[in-house]
Amino acid sequence: MNSNAVIAIHGGAGTILRASMSASAEADYHAALHAVLSAGQRVLADGGSALDAVSEAVRLLEDCPLFNAGRGAVYTAAGTHELDAAIMDGSTLDAGAVCCVTRVRNPILAARRVLERSEHVLFTGEGAEAFAAAQGLEFVEPEYFHTEARHRQWQLARAQQRAMLDHDGATLAAAPSSTDDDPTPHEPIDPNRKFGTVGAVALDQHGHVAAATSTGGVTNKQVGRVGDTPLIGAGCYADDATCAVSTTGSGEMFMRMVAAYDVAAQMAYRNVSLEEAAHDVVMNRLPKIDGRGGLVAVDARGNVTLPFNTEGMYRGFARIGETPVTAIYR
Ligand code: ASP
């Protein structure tokens, strides 16, 4: 048994506005990250697989309206939600993903079913939903994904006729603090520059790694736009021989850099450490094409790294029997 079992998660990266941050908002984020890490930690402590730990962590992050995935996802240019998710098992290199789903409550569970029960890897739109329905997954009305803050942010993006990365700082700063109707509180990261995708990576006690990533994409994105998140190798990758990686950031650049796989490839072909490989991708290679964001990664020895090239990233990690560590700022 591997005693280095560990789970790491992220909930988006961006620029920090300490001035506009309330202590209670910051506490909300730490509490949410802590709860998700504890749940993943329990799976690992009980001898569960890394695959189970990352799907459970991402499912919980999707259900939490603080993050841009599942409930609380951003709006498309048409005022709808289109969700993407992917999951990969490092012990088999099996993978599953869905993109542009609109009514599946937990896209990560649909991705998991694709991994386990389909000969294919990636399903899109109607086909993905038909597959999810046949698998008996829970469906919700589109309003389920609505939050007032994301809706205001979409209206602002629409007025400016641009696509916007996750939240808009000005609208959220002007928003009332969280209520039952609007559970999204003021955010400690400048939402103009925040990427709210969620993700998890884990190493289990059996020595296997897995990765999972889920997102609503970018605000006011064109209908049908797909980012890095559901693309194996770009937003998600896992291989016991190297590492497991989940990314968040400007998706188009992460796709062009094949960012998640590049971390694994550098370990395999350049024989560098997890830390060195991840650092090179996030701090050297992505910035060359203006790629902003970060990633979380673990290797089969239990090394963990959480680099980002923005001013902050919601993140944390937890080892069995230890208190979870959560952080937002650099
Ligand atoms: N990478 C995501 C996308 O481009 C956005 C994010 O990380 O928030 O869809």
Side-chain angles (χ1 to χ4, degrees), residues 11-12 19 108 113 115 143-144 187 197 237 240 250 259 271-272 277 285 293 300 313 316:
I108 198 62
R113 294 296 174 93
L115 180 155
E143 298 75 57
Y144 167 81
E187 305 203 23
T197 292
Y237 193 73
D240 281 0
S250 42
N271 204 22
V272 295
R285 293 179 57 75
M313 180 168 80

Side-chain angles (χ1 to χ4, degrees), residues 12 68 84 165-166 194-197 215-218 221 225-229 247-252 254:
N68 167 25
D84 307 331
L165 286 155
D166 196 10
K194 172 176 175 283
F195 313 95
T197 292
T215 192
V218 292
K221 67 185 180 182
R225 177 265 187 189
V226 177
D228 59 323
T229 301
T247 71
T248 177
S250 42
E252 280 70 11
F254 281 67

Side-chain angles (χ1 to χ4, degrees), residues 249-295:
S250 42
E252 280 70 11
M253 289 65 174
F254 281 67
M255 289 155 82
R256 289 161 57 199
M257 218 31 109
V258 201
Y261 179 70
D262 196 32
V263 177
Q266 290 206 33
M267 290 177 73
Y269 304 142
R270 285 212 302 133
N271 204 22
V272 295
S273 69
L274 176 76
E275 170 118 33
E276 196 176 328
H279 184 275
D280 185 57
V281 170
V282 173
M283 302 303 184
N284 300 331
R285 293 179 57 75
L286 279 164
K288 282 189 186 138
I289 56 167
D290 207 22
R292 300 185 68 256
L295 58 82

Side-chain angles (χ1 to χ4, degrees), residues 13-322:
T15 299
I16 298 161
L17 278 184
R18 275 184 191 270
S20 69
M21 168 188 66
S22 75
S24 77
E26 187 173 337
D28 285 347
Y29 278 92
H30 279 291
L33 294 168
H34 193 282
V36 171
L37 285 167
S38 302
Q41 204 179 25
R42 271 196 300 279
V43 173
L44 297 174
D46 290 347
S49 67
L51 197 64
D52 282 343
V54 298
S55 33
E56 178 60 2
V58 170
R59 184 186 72 79
L60 292 169
L61 289 162
E62 286 178 341
D63 281 353
C64 178
L66 295 177
F67 304 105
N68 167 25
R71 182 150 183 257
V74 299
Y75 282 81
T76 69
T80 55
H81 298 97
E82 292 188 346
L83 312 175
D84 307 331
I87 188 163
M88 186 161 184
D89 183 346
S91 67
T92 57
L93 302 189
D94 284 336
V98 294
C99 61
C100 298
V101 297
T102 59
R103 291 188 308 122
V104 179
R105 172 173 169 163
N106 290 108
I108 198 62
L109 298 184
R112 174 95 189 247
R113 294 296 174 93
V114 175
L115 180 155
E116 287 173 334
R117 304 203 188 158
S118 166
E119 60 181 311
H120 304 304
V121 169
L122 172 61
F123 281 93
T124 180
E126 278 176 31
E129 301 212 316
F131 177 82
Q135 294 295 319
L137 293 182
E138 183 178 349
F139 276 58
V140 289
E141 292 303 318
E143 298 75 57
Y144 167 81
F145 299 111
H146 167 87
T147 49
E148 232 359 85
R150 299 281 198 268
H151 193 255
R152 276 196 296 276
Q153 158 207 2
W154 168 58
Q155 287 172 322
L156 187 86
R158 216 162 43 141
Q160 296 178 355
Q161 294 189 326
R162 64 186 177 108
M164 200 179 270
L165 286 155
D166 196 10
H167 319 276
D168 174 79
T171 45
L172 280 175
S177 52
S178 64
T179 64
D180 286 350
D181 290 345
D182 178 9
T184 309
H186 297 180
E187 305 203 23
I189 284 178
D190 172 2
N192 264 323
R193 296 167 184 270
K194 172 176 175 283
F195 313 95
T197 292
V198 306
V201 291
L203 165 69
D204 63 30
Q205 296 194 63
H206 314 284
H208 301 308
V209 299
T213 314
S214 180
T215 192
V218 292
T219 291
N220 209 31
K221 67 185 180 182
Q222 287 187 32
V223 169
R225 177 265 187 189
V226 177
D228 59 323
T229 301
L231 302 184
I232 300 303
C236 179
Y237 193 73
D239 181 353
D240 281 0
T242 50
C243 61
V245 181
S246 172
T247 71
T248 177
S250 42
E252 280 70 11
M253 289 65 174
F254 281 67
M255 289 155 82
R256 289 161 57 199
M257 218 31 109
V258 201
Y261 179 70
D262 196 32
V263 177
Q266 290 206 33
M267 290 177 73
Y269 304 142
R270 285 212 302 133
N271 204 22
V272 295
S273 69
L274 176 76
E275 170 118 33
E276 196 176 328
H279 184 275
D280 185 57
V281 170
V282 173
M283 302 303 184
N284 300 331
R285 293 179 57 75
L286 279 164
K288 282 189 186 138
I289 56 167
D290 207 22
R292 300 185 68 256
L295 58 82
V296 294
V298 298
D299 68 16
R301 291 186 181 157
N303 293 305
V304 179
T305 188
L306 308 93
F308 50 97
N309 61 30
T310 48
E311 284 180 46
M313 180 168 80
Y314 299 112
R315 64 196 185 280
F317 68 94
R319 298 185 186 277
I320 294 177
E322 293 180 13

